[in-house]
Amino acid sequence: MENANITSLVAQYPLVEELIALKETTWFNPKATSLAEGLPWVGLTQADVDDAHARLARFAPWLAQAFPETAKNHGIIESALVALPTMHSRLEKESGITIPGTLLLKKDSHLPISGSIKARGGIYEVLAHAEKLALAAGLLSLEDDYSKLLEPQYREFFGRHSIAVGSTGNLGLSIGIASARVGFKVTVHMSADAREWKKAKLRSHGVTVVEYEQDYGVAVEQGRKAAESDPNCFFIDDENSHTLFLGYAVAGERLKAQFTEQGRVIDAEHPLFVYLPCGVGGGPGGVAFGLKLAFGDHVHCIFAEPTHSPCMLLGVYTGLHDQIAVQDLGIDNLTAADGLAVGRASGFVGRAMERLLDGFYTLSDQSMYDMLGWLAQEENIRLEPSALAGMAGPVRIAASGRYALENATHLVWATGGGMVPEDEMEKYLAKGQ
Ligand SMILES: *Cc1c(COP(=O)(O)O)cnc(C)c1O
């Protein structure tokens, strides 16, 4: 972007200057409104989420057999919800700010199959594609026991089809592992920041990994191009896919059931605040959509991004959405937070969800490392840096003084880390303060 254009953008949107200076920033969204008013802009409905629930239920017998670690939950991929009482005190002590309410952690970091939030959307989209192909070929009906898709003749059928995806790591891991298990030929286009162990794990599952020197945007573009030349290849489009989004949205009702089971009430007097790390936006956007459908105006969703990759804040704040990238402002998009190193936000998610999100904030990599260390010390829970992005949220919300928090539930969405090798985790822990 020309310097003159940056100057006029800053004049109109003063917060852009803080983003360029890589300052930790909190922005409350003036477009935020009620579910009733915001829902029509999403373009998707409760019926679409119900459809995703039903599809995952049909695949549950397949999942239970294909991935035995899902069998004890009957083939339903869902994560635990845990309280963080000592981390709560540690956050208060370190920040000097009292955080009224209860602090909880949603452990998508420990979801089966791929150890990140991508085990929701990524695997769902692969299964939706497999179902569509098998139904169209007359090989499957909705009433069948889908575990039959593990038989050789089906795997041979799926082997005539391929899947491609561009990823910073975790989406590739989910889509690669699930696709290979279905029987698809699968290629993952990995950006430069993707970890070696993720590439090695994929290759061990028979996935083709193509590596790029550039960031996520380039990996996605190259993946899209490679897929275009092959009519039997399905490209999973992280930036625009409604299917991925709906796979994430299922989390809303699942969480509601977990709260009910634990006797936790969410209503006007007992509001819920959910802090979601944001990369391109599909994961947090889809989860937030599901949460809004499940809890209505009693849930407040806040997105968290690295100071070096504040693409969603920038897009929503300026209204430019995917028409601007952080690199246009000279922001380098370099962060240790896997999955969050995205320079240009999904235009679909930003436009769909901007009326249903209370706020956005940025935090430094060092803040993530510090909280990673505190969480390990206080609660003995180990996450990857990106999964700590949401942990700063309760402090920001308490400091803002905008909400009555006495009876609040603060839910930090832990998005990854369950499969990080021990030696990598030691390196992360060493970086904490
Ligand atoms: C992908 C990812 C996110 C964010 O999801 P998006 O759909 O890219 O916004 C957050 N945390 C982790 C660990 C991820 O892998």
Side-chain angles (χ1 to χ4, degrees), residues 299-431:
V299 64
H300 303 271
C301 298
I302 292 108
F303 282 11
E305 293 175 294
T307 48
H308 285 253
S309 309
C311 64
M312 188 62 81
L313 198 172
L314 178 65
V316 172
Y317 171 60
T318 60
L320 291 171
H321 296 290
D322 55 352
Q323 302 304 304
I324 190 166
V326 302
Q327 290 94 334
D328 296 339
L329 302 175
I331 301 172
D332 62 14
N333 191 32
L334 295 177
T335 167
D338 290 22
L340 309 187
V342 178
R344 188 185 300 278
S346 160
F348 152 59
V349 172
R351 291 184 182 93
M353 291 300 294
E354 63 182 343
R355 290 165 193 80
L356 298 176
L357 304 172
D358 275 44
F360 301 78
Y361 66 86
T362 62
L363 79 172
S364 69
D365 282 17
Q366 189 58 49
S367 296
M368 295 183 227
Y369 283 128
D370 291 345
M371 293 186 291
L372 188 150
W374 303 340
L375 188 68
Q377 289 161 20
E378 303 298 338
E379 308 277 357
N380 198 23
I381 297 173
R382 294 175 176 209
L383 304 177
E384 62 182 276
S386 37
L388 275 302
M391 195 65 82
V395 177
R396 304 289 179 96
I397 288 298
S400 77
R402 293 172 67 96
Y403 303 94
L405 297 177
E406 292 67 44
N407 304 313
T409 297
H410 302 276
L411 179 61
V412 173
W413 211 278
T415 46
M419 293 187 177
V420 174
E422 199 57 38
D423 53 332
E424 293 272 332
M425 186 55 75
E426 289 307 323
K427 285 185 213 156
Y428 289 151
L429 288 164
K431 290 192 172 145

Side-chain angles (χ1 to χ4, degrees), residues 116-118 170 238 277-284 338-340 384 386 415-416:
S116 84
I117 188 171
K118 303 297 191 311
N170 286 337
D238 195 14
C278 179
V280 74
D338 290 22
L340 309 187
E384 62 182 276
S386 37
T415 46

Side-chain angles (χ1 to χ4, degrees), residues 138-157:
L139 296 172
L140 184 71
S141 73
L142 295 179
E143 295 72 35
D144 286 347
D145 177 342
Y146 280 23
S147 59
K148 76 175 191 181
L149 297 176
L150 288 164
E151 291 165 16
Q153 71 269 29
Y154 294 101
R155 292 184 44 84
E156 195 253 326
F157 165 74

Side-chain angles (χ1 to χ4, degrees), residues 164-184:
V165 66
S167 172
T168 62
N170 286 337
L171 185 66
L173 215 50
S174 281
I175 286 173
I177 294 172
S179 298
R181 196 72 185 86
V182 169
F184 289 126

